[in-house]
Amino acid sequence: MVRPAGVAALPGEAGLAAALAGAGAVGAGIAVLVTGAAFAAIAGPWALAGVLLVAQIALAWAWTGALRASAGTMVLVAGSALACDLAVLWPLGGDNAHGYDDNGIGTVAGVVGVSLGVTVLYQLARRLRGGATPAAGVSAAGVSAAGTTGAAAAGAVAADRAQRAADRVSGDMTAALGGVGIAAFLTGFLVLRAEAGAEHPADEMVIAGLLGAGAAVLVGRLVTALLAATFARGAGAVLGTAADPDAVPPPDAVPPPDAVPDSDAVPGLGRARVSAVVGAVSAAAAGTVAGVIFGEFTGLGIATATVLAAAGGVAAACVASAGFGGALSAPRLGPAAGMLLDVVLPLALAAPVVYLLGRQLPG
């Protein structure tokens, strides 16, 4: 196939480079995070809490920024994550002498409940402040309303301001409620590491889950990027001409049927669905394989490690190939917010699943 004259690259060629660069950036981020968390899990609960808190703060910034929430909402989400971690490390029951329930998942659930209550109160207070009636004689644009219809104009201005404040607060409420819950999910790795009474080594269980989720993100993003670029290149192949790129076809020439793309054969939505499904399946399989390898070389055992890693991989696969970089990033944040979501969200979804299975696995 020969490129048309004046075309530097066919669709999919530049897209492949961009897709691989994006997948590589996410892969590097997930590798750093998983490696750091794995070594921290070996060092102890406090070290793991430090690594997880960095990820939780990054998640709070990216999540609230992508949803265009206020800075106060970001601080609230990050503060809730810190409170969850400290509740696990400093249980109210003392030094965990009475079993793992002293600093278990129930403590985190209580902190999340309080955080959600504070979130609602904070947003209601913002709504009341934002819905206040503006000064008399001032319109929405700050121009004197004298000479207009008076009370009617003032009422319209007040209603418009109240509506804009309500919309803004509603968006912040959504960002805060979702952010508090997702940031708390990451604490599941810490709870699994800190709780006493587990039948298997806590640090190895955490590492198995991290490896499964990390492998799923790496493979899922790569497979999705390659498929998307392949589909784009295939769609752009119809731009090719005969051997002579400078040849100009006659104006009455009709292209052969095979040269015209059939939009119904593989529509854009269908290609996206195929990429997502194949990427998710590949991601889940990669997480399972990571568990087999980890269990082979550790005392955790192949069966236990595979279950934990597969659980983390399946959970991470749900969003591993989503690619939030171009869909959720606010313009003021740039691609950094999207990349952080691509890295941290899959681990956050994997954490509670890994914790649940880690506590229920038989000895």
Side-chain angles (χ1 to χ4, degrees):
M1 179 185 67
V2 180
R3 296 174 183 170
V7 177
L10 290 174
E13 292 179 340
L16 176 60
L20 291 179
V26 172
I30 200 73
V32 170
L33 180 55
V34 169
T35 302
F39 280 105
I42 297 174
W46 281 94
L48 179 60
V51 173
L52 292 179
L53 182 60
V54 172
Q56 287 167 321
I57 293 175
L59 176 62
W61 175 79
W63 178 268
T64 56
L67 296 179
R68 294 170 174 80
S70 64
T73 300
M74 189 275 287
V75 173
L76 193 151
V77 173
S80 173
L82 174 61
C84 289
D85 297 343
L86 291 179
V88 174
L89 296 172
W90 285 334
L92 297 178
D95 58 357
N96 199 31
H98 303 292
Y100 63 83
D101 286 335
D102 285 347
N103 61 342
I105 201 69
T107 304
V108 176
V111 174
V112 171
V114 173
S115 299
L116 294 179
V118 172
T119 297
V120 173
L121 294 177
Y122 169 66
Q123 299 299 342
L124 287 177
R126 291 185 65 232
R127 179 165 184 169
L128 292 176
R129 289 199 309 270
T133 303
V138 178
S139 66
V143 181
S144 174
T148 64
T149 56
V157 170
D160 177 72
R161 180 174 179 177
Q163 182 60 48
R164 287 187 284 110
D167 293 341
R168 183 172 60 253
V169 171
S170 297
D172 267 23
M173 181 81 77
T174 301
L177 295 178
V180 166
I182 294 175
F185 284 172
L186 277 171
T187 309
F189 286 122
L190 180 61
V191 179
L192 182 60
R193 179 64 181 87
E195 282 183 348
E199 298 292 338
H200 303 281
D203 56 346
E204 293 184 356
M205 288 194 297
V206 171
I207 294 173
L210 287 169
L211 288 178
V217 176
L218 286 170
V219 174
R221 287 308 304 275
L222 180 60
V223 170
T224 304
L226 290 174
L227 284 176
T230 301
F231 284 139
R233 185 176 176 84
V238 297
L239 295 177
T241 62
D244 184 4
D246 296 325
V248 179
D252 58 347
V254 178
D258 294 339
V260 180
D262 184 2
S263 59
D264 295 330
V266 186
L269 183 59
R271 291 196 298 268
R273 288 173 176 172
V274 170
S275 298
V277 170
V278 175
V281 172
S282 302
T288 305
V289 172
V292 174
I293 297 174
F294 182 71
E296 178 70 25
F297 294 98
T298 62
L300 193 59
I302 294 179
T304 301
T306 301
V307 169
L308 291 170
V314 171
C318 295
V319 294
S321 59
F324 297 101
L328 291 181
S329 297
R332 61 188 176 88
L333 299 180
M339 193 193 76
L340 285 174
L341 290 177
D342 287 334
V343 170
V344 182
L345 266 182
L347 290 183
L349 292 183
V353 181
V354 173
Y355 164 79
L356 179 63
L357 289 179
R359 297 307 312 182
Q360 302 300 323
L361 288 174

